[in-house]
């Protein structure tokens, strides 16, 4: 059929109008189904079945519209061969079905069929509700489930066996004591339970299950625990079931066997098992279900302390978490998850390089065989980050694909990106944010996930998300120092606009010095796009605090804007006479910027970096790089040797973090010599690539800048990938270099964009900044 004829037929059938009316009616039906399902507790299958019926009905309705629009249908209706538009004609319908013919489609039949199908569905759902079972009849009103949502009532056990009768009520006392406070659950006092029991159960009779659960519900509990103890010649068997008193559903089941003389120990082990299973079934706000498999301890005190620590950790009370986790591993030294959480708590209190954290993580690693595969990967990742082993990125990415619903995996990947991946050029700011956002989405009540996310929203100037995330954190943790301290202060300092900025500056003298210092330490201000405001703010904050962190913020803001003369002037200030000055000069030298004789004289002093036994990676790196560029082999070999020796010494002292850093510095220096003096590009590429996977921050920037130079020779695309990751204060410089490479590749539009970014970065800087001049010239060339 020609297309025009088909479209004419569709219009004549009024298919579009019919479709719109049907979709509107279907939406209304689905809303009604949703309301009824919640109100009447209809089975879960009702919604999908309703959707399927409506989809089938859509086909029938569209077919009916088509049939009813046919001229032949109208003719047959007039002649009485087929029913009219709105007739059901049941006799004709039955005859058609009986003879195996497809019934003629009329609006009456289609609508009646839909009503019949939906009525049948609701009828079956109603039957399912009626016959759900007798236990649900206790309901939340009778059970008191809504009164104490975490309450557990242990009712007297069914006891069989000689001389075991004391455990009938004894189990109420023992299990109530064991379970009280475990994972946030509250055991109903045994005296309350027994009072309700005696009101409903007369004499020594053993009640049925429903009566036992009604007793539990009458105490105001949410969960009821019923059980039995059976004695036999071989010993005793203790079993327990926990029911949700709201739905009547059995949630968890546990049992254990042993000697009669060991009943208390057996019940202790069963209490641990019940807690694990109950947390997995109901405790998402205490510990994530995937983590419950890692609660490998058999010690009730250890588990109790761990859960107390986990609750403190979830609300960002890291000091309280440390105390509780220390107790847990003190009771059970093989408790791997306890050690892992202890390490994480130490890192939050101190930083990711915490020595106590490293020791605790090593203990977790030693006991990893007790953990399931998922958690072994996470412990491996934690340990690798502590040791700055960036090869863990592969296993972490694989874990994020294998366990996409595990917030711990996403948070750990984000933490890796935050501390090492982004500073090492292995991730972007977007990667960091996406991981933290995913962790918060999966477990929004786990407050540590929120902290880094808020910090990064502020750092990248996402005002709306920063304020929303901060408000969410304040609702969760209103008493936390961060919620009222440096986080809202940072939002005010960085994200205020207009006249409010001046008010912020004027109010800094009234701000607690500690909070102002924490802003400089924890907020990634070096990514904040408005570097002029960062400079203004940092100058005022430095005046107020004298903080080295704010002083460094001033310098990097000047550097990022291309205010090179002011930047050099700050380096000559007496308080900057040290390793930072040496490193800053090395950066300028690597970028081929002119250096004043005064600065060069300072950093080329024979004693620079040699005052301390450990000269630090930044200073020794800078001295070695400058020696490699100058071709001073003796000086270069000195710094390579110092770093190799330090790496060996620190390795022997089990200080793997700093050992790996010095080893990477030595490797980077070897790559720099091969590039600047040896002309051995393959060797330079191997060394610089290896070092770039370890070195972060300033040393990482310089290493990757030189590495990009090696790649630029014959792998310009790879060089661009490296430079793309160099953001922060260096963005203007890297974009000029990218523009140069893109021009060489003949990509004028991309080169133009790179030059424009650089011009924007340097707009308030020195007019004779050579990178600014190159960006201006480059943009003019590619625009012709």
């Amino acid at each position: 059929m020609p297309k025009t004829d088909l479209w004419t037929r569709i219009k004549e059938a009024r298919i579009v109008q019919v479709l719109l009316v049907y979709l509107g009616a279907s939406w209304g039906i689905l809303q009604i189904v949703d309301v009824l399902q919640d109100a009447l507790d209809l089975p879960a299958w009702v919604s999908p079945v309703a959707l399927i019926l409506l989809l089938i009905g859509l086909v029938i309705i569209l077919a009916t519209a088509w049939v009813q629009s046919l001229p032949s249908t109208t003719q047959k209706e007039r002649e009485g061969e087929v029913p009219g538009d709105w007739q059901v004609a049941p006799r004709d319908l039955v005859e058609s079905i009986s003879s195996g013919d497809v019934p003629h489609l009329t609006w009456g039949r289609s609508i009646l069929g839909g009503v019949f199908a939906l009525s049948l569905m609701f009828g079956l759902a109603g039957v399912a509700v009626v016959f759900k079972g007798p236990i649900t009849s206790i309901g939340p009103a009778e059970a008191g489930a809504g009164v104490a949502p975490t309450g557990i009532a242990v009712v007297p056990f069914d006891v069989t066996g000689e001389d075991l009768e004391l455990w009938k009520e004894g189990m109420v006392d023992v299990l109530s004591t064991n379970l009280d406070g475990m994972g946030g659950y509250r055991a109903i006092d045994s005296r309350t339970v027994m009072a309700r029991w005696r009101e409903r159960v007369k004499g020594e009779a053993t009640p049925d299950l429903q009566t036992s659960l009604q007793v539990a519900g009458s105490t105001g509990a949410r969960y009821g625990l019923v059980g039995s103890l059976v004695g036999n010649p071989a010993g005793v068997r203790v079993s327990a079931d926990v029911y949700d008193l709201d739905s009547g559903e059995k949630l968890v089941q546990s049992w254990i066997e042993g000697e009669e003389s060991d009943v208390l120990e057996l019940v202790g082990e069963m209490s641990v098992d019940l807690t694990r299973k109950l947390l997995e079934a109901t405790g998402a706000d205490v510990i994530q279900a995937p983590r419950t498999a890692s609660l490998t301890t058999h010690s009730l005190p250890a588990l109790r302390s761990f859960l107390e620590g986990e609750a403190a950790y979830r609300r960002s009370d890291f000091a309280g978490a440390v105390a509780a986790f220390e107790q847990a591993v003190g009771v059970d030294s093989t408790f791997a998850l306890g050690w892992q959480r202890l390490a994480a708590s130490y890192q939050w209190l101190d930083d990711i390089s915490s020595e106590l954290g490293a020791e605790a993580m090593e203990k977790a690693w030693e006991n990893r065989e007790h953990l399931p595969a998922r958690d072994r990967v996470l412990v491996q990742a934690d340990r690798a980050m502590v040791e700055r082993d960036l090869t863990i990125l592969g296993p972490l990415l694989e874990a994020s694909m294998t366990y996409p619903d595990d917030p711990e995996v996403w948070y750990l990947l984000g933490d890796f990106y935050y501390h090492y991946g982004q500073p090492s050029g292995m991730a972007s700011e977007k990667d960091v944010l996406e991981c933290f956002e995913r962790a918060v989405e999966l477990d929004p009540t786990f407050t540590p996930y929120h902290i880094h996310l808020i910090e990064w929203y502020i750092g990248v100037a996402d005002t709306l998300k920063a304020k929303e995330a901060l408000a969410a954190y304040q609702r969760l943790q209103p008493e936390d120092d961060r919620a009222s301290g440096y986080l809202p202060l940072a939002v005010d300092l960085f994200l205020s606009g207009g006249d409010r900025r001046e008010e912020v500056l004027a109010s800094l003298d009234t701000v607690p010095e500690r909070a102002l210092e924490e802003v400089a330490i924890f907020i990634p201000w070096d990514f904040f796009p408005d570097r002029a405001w960062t400079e203004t703010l940092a100058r005022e904050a430095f005046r107020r605090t004298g903080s080295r962190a704010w002083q460094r913020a001033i310098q990097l803001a000047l550097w990022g804007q291309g205010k090179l003369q002011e930047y050099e002037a700050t380096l000559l200030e007496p308080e900057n006479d040290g390793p930072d000055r040496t490193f800053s000069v090395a950066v300028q030298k690597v970028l081929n910027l002119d250096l004043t004789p005064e600065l060069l004289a300072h950093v080329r002093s024979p004693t620079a970096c040699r005052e301390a036994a450990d000269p630090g990676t930044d200073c020794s790196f800078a001295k070695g790089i400058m020696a490699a560029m100058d071709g001073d082999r003796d000086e270069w070999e000195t710094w390579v040797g110092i770093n190799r020796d330090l790496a060996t010494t620190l390795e022997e002292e089990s200080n793997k973090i700093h050992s790996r850093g010095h080893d990477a510095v030595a490797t980077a220096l070897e790559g720099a010599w091969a590039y600047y003096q040896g002309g051995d590009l393959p060797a330079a590429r191997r060394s610089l690539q290896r070092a770039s996977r370890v070195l972060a921050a300033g040393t990482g920037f310089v290493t990757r800048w030189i590495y990009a130079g090696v790649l630029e020779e014959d792998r310009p695309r790879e060089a661009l990938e490296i430079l793309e990751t160099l953001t922060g204060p260096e963005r203007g410089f890297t974009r000029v270099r990218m523009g140069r490479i893109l021009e060489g590749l003949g990509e004028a539009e991309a080169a133009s964009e790179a030059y424009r970014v650089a011009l924007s970065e340097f707009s308030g800087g020195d007019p004779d900044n050579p990178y600014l001049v190159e960006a201006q010239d480059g943009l003019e060339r590619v625009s012709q």
Side-chain angles (χ1 to χ4, degrees):
M1 178 183 290
K3 292 183 180 179
T4 53
D5 290 347
L6 177 61
W7 179 241
T8 300
R9 292 292 305 116
I10 290 174
K11 288 194 294 184
E12 289 175 354
R14 294 180 293 179
I15 295 293
V16 175
Q17 295 94 319
V18 169
L19 180 61
L20 291 175
V21 171
Y22 185 82
L23 290 177
S26 297
W27 182 86
I29 291 170
L30 289 175
Q31 300 310 303
I32 293 171
V33 169
D34 188 59
V35 171
L36 292 177
Q37 188 160 26
D38 289 338
L40 302 178
D41 194 23
L42 298 179
W45 53 260
V46 170
S47 290
V49 168
L51 181 60
I52 292 170
L53 291 175
L54 289 170
L55 290 174
I56 295 171
L58 175 61
V59 175
I60 295 173
I61 286 293
L62 292 177
T64 301
W66 183 270
V67 169
Q68 289 299 321
S69 70
L70 293 172
S72 59
T73 299
T74 304
Q75 181 64 31
K76 289 178 180 180
E77 288 175 353
R78 289 173 182 168
E79 295 174 357
E81 294 183 25
V82 295
D85 292 5
W86 295 98
Q87 287 185 315
V88 176
R91 180 178 298 175
D92 178 74
L93 180 64
V94 171
E95 289 176 356
S96 297
I97 295 173
S98 300
S99 60
D101 296 331
V102 176
H104 178 68
L105 294 176
T106 70
W107 292 116
R109 288 177 174 179
S110 297
I111 294 172
L112 182 63
V115 171
F116 175 80
L118 290 173
S119 300
L120 180 62
M121 180 195 73
F122 281 116
L124 292 174
V127 171
V129 170
V130 171
F131 289 97
K132 260 187 174 179
I135 293 174
T136 56
S137 62
I138 62 173
E142 185 174 351
V147 179
T150 56
I152 302 176
V154 182
V155 299
F157 270 41
D158 181 13
V159 175
T160 304
E162 189 175 350
D163 299 327
L164 295 174
E165 190 61 26
L166 66 96
W167 292 112
K168 183 179 182 71
E169 297 182 11
M171 282 296 178
V172 180
D173 285 322
V174 174
L175 278 169
S176 296
T177 300
N178 287 354
L179 296 176
D180 190 38
M182 295 287 278
Y185 300 111
R186 179 179 67 86
I188 305 299
D189 187 274
S190 59
R191 291 168 297 181
T192 299
V193 174
M194 292 311 303
R196 300 292 183 272
W197 181 266
R198 294 185 180 106
E199 288 172 1
R200 291 197 177 223
V201 181
K202 305 302 181 183
E204 300 298 320
T206 300
D208 60 18
L209 176 60
Q210 184 177 7
T211 301
S212 295
L213 293 181
Q214 285 173 339
V215 171
S218 67
T219 66
R222 172 61 186 272
Y223 305 111
L225 190 155
V226 299
S228 65
L229 187 150
V230 179
N232 55 58
V236 293
R237 186 182 193 276
V238 187
S239 63
D241 301 327
V242 178
Y243 285 83
D244 184 333
L245 298 177
D246 187 356
S247 66
E249 176 188 359
K250 183 193 292 187
L251 294 177
V252 299
Q253 184 175 34
S254 181
W255 63 272
I256 195 166
E257 293 179 335
E259 298 292 331
E260 181 182 339
S261 58
D262 297 330
V263 169
L264 285 176
E265 289 77 7
L266 293 173
V267 174
E269 289 186 36
M270 190 173 71
S271 300
V272 171
D273 186 53
L274 282 169
T275 301
R276 286 198 199 102
K277 292 175 178 177
L278 196 56
L279 285 170
E280 184 172 3
T282 68
D285 58 340
V286 179
I287 182 171
Q288 279 288 316
R291 300 280 86 74
T292 57
S294 304
L295 298 176
T296 53
T297 183
H298 295 290
S299 166
L300 192 64
L303 180 59
R304 185 181 296 278
S305 295
F306 175 86
L307 293 174
E308 290 172 357
E310 188 72 4
Y313 190 88
R314 288 185 70 87
R315 61 177 182 268
S316 302
D317 176 10
F318 301 115
V322 163
F325 290 136
E326 283 180 338
Q327 287 184 341
V329 298
V331 174
D332 183 356
S333 61
T334 68
F335 194 178
L337 191 61
W339 285 113
Q340 189 262 352
R341 276 291 197 245
L342 178 59
S345 301
Y346 279 135
Q347 289 166 355
W348 273 106
L349 279 179
D350 187 2
D351 59 44
I352 200 164
S353 300
S354 164
E355 290 188 13
L356 289 173
E359 292 173 8
M361 188 52 62
E362 196 60 31
K363 289 288 188 181
W365 179 253
E366 291 172 4
N367 292 283
R368 65 189 182 280
E369 68 275 5
H370 299 299
L371 294 170
R374 180 193 305 239
D375 286 282
R376 284 200 297 272
V377 172
L378 297 185
V379 169
Q380 178 189 3
D382 272 332
R383 182 172 182 260
M385 284 203 294
V386 166
E387 296 179 358
R388 203 171 288 183
D389 178 5
L390 305 192
T391 60
I392 193 58
L393 177 59
L396 262 179
L397 287 171
E398 184 178 351
S400 70
M401 291 183 284
T402 306
Y403 312 110
D405 59 341
D406 189 338
E408 191 82 0
V409 172
W410 288 104
Y411 175 75
L412 198 55
L413 180 58
D415 210 34
F416 169 84
Y417 283 154
Y418 175 28
H419 291 289
Y420 299 124
Q422 195 284 324
S424 301
M426 302 169 74
S428 66
E429 300 100 292
K430 182 180 178 183
D431 294 326
V432 178
L433 287 169
E434 284 180 348
C435 289
F436 288 144
E437 285 172 340
R438 180 66 173 148
V440 169
E441 178 188 353
L442 289 168
D443 190 358
T445 63
F446 197 84
T447 58
Y449 294 164
H450 293 253
I451 297 171
H452 283 335
L453 182 58
I454 299 168
E455 293 168 349
W456 272 84
Y457 280 148
I458 296 170
V460 299
D462 193 329
T463 302
L464 179 60
K465 287 187 177 180
K467 290 182 176 179
E468 287 178 348
L470 176 60
Y473 187 73
Q474 289 172 328
R475 286 193 298 271
L476 289 168
Q477 287 301 110
E479 304 300 322
D480 183 54
D481 289 344
R482 298 170 189 80
S484 57
Y486 80 90
L487 287 175
L489 175 61
V491 168
D492 213 18
L493 292 177
F494 284 99
L495 303 181
S496 296
D499 295 339
R500 177 60 185 153
R501 283 190 164 184
E502 297 305 319
E503 295 176 14
V504 170
L505 287 180
S507 68
L508 286 189
D509 283 333
T510 66
V511 171
E513 189 169 320
R514 178 188 172 194
L516 200 54
E517 179 83 3
E518 287 174 332
V519 169
I521 294 171
F522 297 121
I523 303 300
W525 44 259
D526 44 337
F527 292 97
F528 193 71
D530 189 346
R531 302 198 197 286
W533 173 247
T534 302
E535 178 193 346
T536 301
L537 175 60
R539 288 186 183 281
E540 189 62 23
F542 177 66
R543 180 196 65 77
R544 169 78 173 82
T545 64
S547 162
R548 175 59 186 149
W550 280 117
Q551 185 184 44
R552 187 61 179 157
I554 297 171
Q555 292 177 320
L556 291 180
L558 292 171
W559 171 255
Q561 294 174 86
K563 294 182 176 181
L564 302 183
Q565 294 180 14
E566 286 186 72
Y567 175 68
E568 287 193 355
T570 65
L571 297 179
L572 289 169
E573 293 171 356
E575 60 267 28
N576 288 320
D577 184 14
D580 284 345
R581 174 191 286 170
T582 303
F583 183 79
S584 298
V585 170
V587 173
Q588 290 177 280
K589 185 175 177 66
V590 168
L591 268 62
N592 294 317
L593 293 168
D594 292 334
L595 293 164
T596 64
E598 189 177 4
L599 269 178
L600 284 173
H602 276 291
V603 301
R604 284 179 171 163
S605 166
T607 59
C609 298
R610 288 191 170 91
E611 297 89 350
D614 179 355
T617 55
D618 284 2
C619 194
S620 62
F621 175 87
K623 295 286 284 185
I625 287 292
M626 288 190 288
M629 294 183 73
D630 294 338
D632 187 340
R633 189 172 186 87
D634 289 342
E635 177 78 354
W636 171 78
E637 286 181 341
T638 295
W639 291 109
V640 171
I642 286 174
N643 279 282
R644 290 284 184 218
D645 291 344
L646 280 168
T648 301
T649 300
L650 292 168
E651 175 73 22
E652 292 171 353
E653 294 174 358
S654 297
N655 190 338
K656 294 183 179 180
I657 298 173
H658 296 102
S659 170
R660 192 177 294 273
H662 283 291
D663 180 70
V665 165
T667 301
L669 296 182
E670 290 170 346
W673 184 273
Y675 175 58
Y676 288 115
Q677 303 301 328
D680 187 349
L681 294 184
R685 184 161 48 243
R686 285 192 300 271
S687 295
L688 292 167
Q689 183 183 47
R690 178 185 162 199
S692 69
R693 292 172 177 166
V694 177
L695 298 175
T699 55
F701 165 72
V702 173
T703 299
R704 293 194 297 283
W705 181 274
I706 299 172
Y707 182 30
V710 175
L711 295 172
E712 194 173 341
E713 299 282 340
D714 57 355
R715 302 181 184 182
R717 296 289 178 192
E718 292 182 33
L720 286 171
E721 291 177 6
I722 296 292
L723 294 169
E724 182 71 33
T725 68
L726 302 180
T727 54
E730 294 82 16
R731 189 189 304 272
F733 300 99
T734 60
R735 292 314 177 265
V736 171
R737 191 169 174 188
M738 288 174 65
R740 188 190 311 156
I741 296 173
L742 288 163
E743 265 196 275
L745 292 170
E747 298 183 16
E749 186 176 344
S752 175
E753 176 60 24
Y755 287 136
R756 284 195 178 92
V757 171
L759 289 174
S760 175
E761 294 285 324
F762 295 141
S763 61
D766 298 344
D768 59 348
N769 169 8
Y771 279 81
L772 172 63
V773 173
E774 183 177 353
Q776 291 169 335
D777 294 343
L779 184 59
E780 184 177 348
R781 280 194 307 273
V782 297
S783 299
Q784 291 176 352

